[in-house]
Amino acid sequence: MAVMTDHDRTHDLEFKTPITDITKDGNDAGTIAEFFAHKNVFVTGGTGFLGTVLIEALLDATPDIGTIYLLVRGKKNWDPNQRVRKLLTKPIFEKYDEKTLAKVKPVVGELSEENFNFDDEILQELIDNVNIIYHSAATIRFRSPLRTAIKTNLTGTWRTIQLAKKLKNLSAYIYCSTAFCNSNNRGLILEEVYKSRCDPYEMMKMAEDDSMWENFTEDQTVKYTNDHPNTYTFTKNLSENLLMSEMKNMPVAIVRPSIVYGTWEKPCSGWVGNANSGHLGFLAGFIKGIFRTMKGRASAIIDIIPCDYVINSSLVMGWYVGTRKIEQPEVIHCTSGEVNPLTLSEFCDIINENVQKHPPNSFVWKPKAILRNGWRYNLFFYLFHMLPAMVYSIPEKLFSVGMPQHTVYEYMRVFYRGGKAFDYFLDKNFRYDLKNALRIMSVVHEEDRKRYNFDSSRCDWTEFLARVIIGIRRFYFRESAETTTWHRIYWKVFDFLYYAGFVVLFLIFFAIFGLLTGIKLGSVLALVVWGFLVWL
């Protein structure tokens, strides 16, 4: 299958800060609701966490929104209409009637295939009707094989570009990138596209050549990704370069979020989706007392952002590029570290405080996250995470208890690998420029600025993380959102057991060492070993 156009691509990808010829100020450009009214939208990645909130936001933007075409993959024995109907039963869609929800229309296709493998009728319908494209589909696994990452993240973007150029009336194209796509750079990361070391067209060509991937090794992957920490950031940067090369003088925007957490306010506070991926997965395991440690420096910045801020910025950027002349893609960061920094130490303190205020219905052990590094982190993880998980695997297999898809031990391995991959981003203290984001926010109508706020300087992290923890309880674990007296008694019982466990542990060591070496020496050895484990 050919990926390239018929002429050789040798574009110079040296890019500078985007230049925007603003033909209207915020007041003359109309409101965001007016912009989206009667417009039809094509969405990729709409079944994911961000995509689901995006669909709700589009429905909420105006009752006059047109059809929302949702790209879904074909699956055996799974009707796409049923899949979308199930998606629309999520709590965030409860307020919409059937007529409104019917505006979400599934279109079955493959992201990386030419014309998405649509039949001629569907393709023509999209060409005739679609006005706005939101492209958020991606493989977000840091450890994805290079070929997979290229096909999904880069070739998938190329397919949306090809569609955008065929549309009869394109009003806006919004690409959901990541703030980490330039993590191979240091200092202040600007809101501009950084030139990739590899040519995106050559990388797409390479992904289609089976012979290139025979006996392809991890060392060969590193030769391509070079100073990028993983294939995810590498292919996201390539995709931005592709957009910059292909979509000059078109209404295009690139939104770069940092670590996406639950929602602050819209469509409801604390919405977390399935909460089983990314850093939300850590938080879900933490409140159940399964994950009890984090790795990193106390002063390191953890750049988190509410999910609805990302969606708000995406709708604002759709309005912005769709209501003025754009010479090249507008780039904004949707981040917090530069205007409202949160350190890892503060993060741990806040989640420890909030889980005590809002404990879940049940947990394995008292939730408590402590920062550790080096051998201390590794030893604690193997002693108090991996070892108990291995022991627990016995009743899991004998009595079919535990998680339906994976064992606790497998989850621990995933957590450990994910933690190692994530360490890179916490260790470097990346800084993200926000001048363009703040400039664009300043031209939005005052009422829209309140409704579609994405200024993270206003975030109260203690309140936000409390909402997320309650949201995980409510939406992921299907528990009550209300914290009752029973919850507080349950916490106090485990708090007592937590400290009683230390006493019991000392007595066990004292008995063992006392029998082996005598009371006097045994008490000393027991105290030393016990003290070390308590410190650990």
Side-chain angles (χ1 to χ4, degrees):
M1 177 187 63
V3 171
M4 308 295 292
T5 56
D6 56 357
H7 63 281
D8 179 46
R9 296 305 212 292
T10 54
H11 298 285
D12 176 10
L13 299 178
E14 290 284 1
F15 303 130
K16 299 180 180 179
T17 303
I19 300 172
T20 304
D21 176 16
I22 300 178
T23 56
K24 302 178 182 179
D25 62 24
N27 292 326
D28 293 334
T31 65
I32 289 174
E34 289 169 346
F35 172 73
F36 282 97
H38 310 295
K39 291 205 171 57
N40 302 309
V41 188
F42 177 73
V43 177
T44 74
T47 57
F49 175 45
L50 270 175
T52 305
V53 181
L54 170 63
I55 291 170
E56 192 284 330
L58 289 169
L59 293 174
D60 187 65
T62 171
D64 296 321
I65 190 76
T67 301
I68 300 173
Y69 294 97
L70 176 58
L71 179 68
V72 294
R73 296 184 66 183
K75 291 185 177 181
K76 288 183 178 179
N77 304 320
W78 190 246
D79 178 62
N81 290 296
Q82 288 183 338
R83 188 178 178 191
V84 170
R85 278 197 294 271
K86 184 177 179 181
L87 175 77
L88 297 177
T89 61
K90 292 179 184 291
I92 60 174
F93 296 106
E94 285 178 349
K95 71 178 185 179
Y96 300 104
D97 58 28
E98 287 298 319
K99 183 180 178 181
T100 302
L101 295 177
K103 293 184 177 185
V104 182
K105 179 179 178 179
V107 283
V108 180
E110 291 294 326
L111 181 65
S112 62
E113 297 299 320
E114 188 167 4
N115 292 327
F116 305 99
N117 273 350
F118 292 149
D119 61 39
D120 292 341
E121 184 180 348
I122 290 294
L123 180 61
Q124 193 58 51
E125 180 180 347
L126 297 178
I127 291 171
D128 291 341
N129 297 324
V130 169
N131 309 110
I132 300 168
I133 293 177
Y134 276 96
H135 176 38
S136 64
T139 173
I140 59 174
R141 290 180 58 238
F142 289 166
R143 296 168 58 88
S144 285
L146 179 59
R147 190 182 194 185
T148 301
I150 293 171
K151 282 194 167 188
T152 305
N153 296 348
L154 180 57
T155 307
T157 301
W158 171 241
R159 298 308 180 197
T160 62
I161 292 171
Q162 289 177 313
L163 177 62
K165 290 185 172 183
K166 293 174 182 175
L167 298 183
K168 292 183 177 179
N169 295 291
L170 176 67
S171 296
Y173 175 107
I174 312 302
Y175 176 59
C176 183
S177 184
T178 171
F180 303 128
C181 68
N182 297 305
S183 53
N184 56 326
N185 291 277
R186 297 295 176 267
L188 185 67
I189 307 296
L190 302 178
E191 292 166 300
E192 62 183 50
V193 174
Y194 286 67
K195 182 181 178 182
S196 55
R197 291 179 179 270
C198 297
D199 182 88
Y201 302 98
E202 291 302 319
M203 296 307 296
M204 286 191 292
K205 233 189 222 178
M206 175 179 156
E208 299 302 324
D209 186 353
D210 292 338
S211 65
M212 291 292 297
W213 303 96
E214 294 176 4
N215 303 315
F216 197 84
T217 65
E218 185 65 27
D219 288 340
Q220 287 173 287
T221 294
V222 173
K223 287 180 181 178
Y224 286 99
T225 57
N226 199 276
D227 49 358
H228 275 275
N230 52 60
T231 58
Y232 173 66
T233 65
F234 173 66
T235 51
K236 280 292 193 177
N237 174 247
L238 285 170
S239 297
E240 288 194 2
N241 276 256
L242 187 64
L243 285 165
M244 188 63 80
S245 176
E246 289 286 339
M247 303 193 81
K248 287 183 171 66
N249 296 308
M250 295 181 72
V252 177
I254 297 171
V255 177
R256 293 178 181 159
S258 51
I259 305 168
V260 182
Y261 260 50
T263 57
W264 169 260
E265 181 181 16
K266 298 288 186 177
C268 59
S269 67
W271 172 253
V272 294
N274 58 20
N276 62 4
S277 62
H279 224 256
L280 274 175
F282 161 77
L283 211 56
F286 158 75
I287 72 171
K288 288 293 185 178
I290 297 173
F291 301 147
R292 305 184 65 251
T293 188
M294 284 188 70
K295 188 176 182 181
R297 292 177 292 107
S299 60
I301 303 298
I302 178 168
D303 199 313
I304 62 175
I305 196 75
C307 175
D308 45 338
Y309 279 34
V310 180
I311 301 306
N312 289 347
S313 67
S314 299
L315 266 65
V316 167
M317 292 308 293
W319 164 83
Y320 184 82
V321 299
T323 55
R324 61 212 73 216
K325 179 176 167 51
I326 302 296
E327 293 184 2
Q328 62 184 35
E330 287 281 352
V331 183
I332 66 163
H333 285 133
C334 191
T335 56
S336 63
E338 198 67 12
V339 292
N340 193 4
L342 176 69
T343 67
L344 272 181
S345 176
E346 292 168 337
F347 176 83
C348 287
D349 289 343
I350 291 171
I351 62 174
N352 287 333
E353 175 188 338
N354 275 309
V355 78
Q356 181 175 351
K357 289 180 180 177
H358 310 287
N361 288 358
S362 62
F363 38 80
V364 176
W365 197 237
K366 176 186 173 181
K368 188 175 184 180
I370 297 177
L371 283 177
R372 297 174 177 86
N373 284 292
W375 65 267
R376 184 188 177 198
Y377 173 86
N378 290 326
L379 184 57
F380 178 88
F381 187 82
Y382 280 102
L383 281 178
F384 298 105
H385 284 70
M386 295 297 281
L387 188 58
M390 291 171 69
V391 172
Y392 187 67
S393 66
I394 297 173
E396 275 186 313
K397 291 179 179 178
L398 290 177
F399 306 110
S400 298
V401 297
M403 304 292 185
Q405 295 177 328
H406 301 284
T407 65
V408 172
Y409 178 71
E410 288 171 334
Y411 276 113
M412 288 300 178
R413 286 171 59 89
V414 170
F415 171 67
Y416 185 72
R417 289 197 301 265
K420 286 181 68 176
F422 207 76
D423 289 346
Y424 180 90
F425 303 103
L426 294 177
D427 185 54
K428 303 293 187 291
N429 273 357
F430 292 108
R431 297 176 56 215
Y432 302 105
D433 185 30
L434 289 170
K435 288 188 179 67
N436 202 37
L438 295 174
R439 176 185 67 80
I440 290 172
M441 196 186 303
S442 71
V443 303
V444 177
H445 283 259
E446 185 176 352
E447 286 303 312
D448 281 343
R449 203 177 307 144
K450 293 176 183 176
R451 166 59 185 87
Y452 296 100
N453 171 52
F454 57 95
D455 179 4
S456 57
S457 65
R458 302 180 188 181
C459 271
D460 178 336
W461 295 128
T462 300
E463 173 63 23
F464 172 61
L465 288 170
R467 295 182 184 189
V468 173
I469 284 174
I470 293 171
I472 291 174
R473 269 180 33 180
R474 177 185 174 190
F475 299 116
Y476 183 61
F477 291 117
R478 302 291 191 270
E479 299 176 359
S480 171
E482 182 183 357
T483 301
T484 65
T485 302
W486 182 88
H487 285 98
R488 304 198 190 287
I489 293 173
Y490 188 80
W491 177 271
K492 288 179 180 178
V493 169
F494 263 83
D495 197 37
F496 170 78
L497 292 175
Y498 176 76
Y499 290 106
F502 288 128
V503 176
V504 172
L505 188 65
F506 174 76
L507 293 175
I508 291 172
F509 287 141
F510 178 73
I512 293 172
F513 289 121
L515 288 172
L516 294 176
T517 63
I519 298 296
K520 188 173 182 180
L521 181 58
S523 61
V524 173
L525 291 174
L527 188 61
V528 170
V529 175
W530 177 83
F532 172 76
L533 290 177
V534 170
W535 169 82
L536 185 64

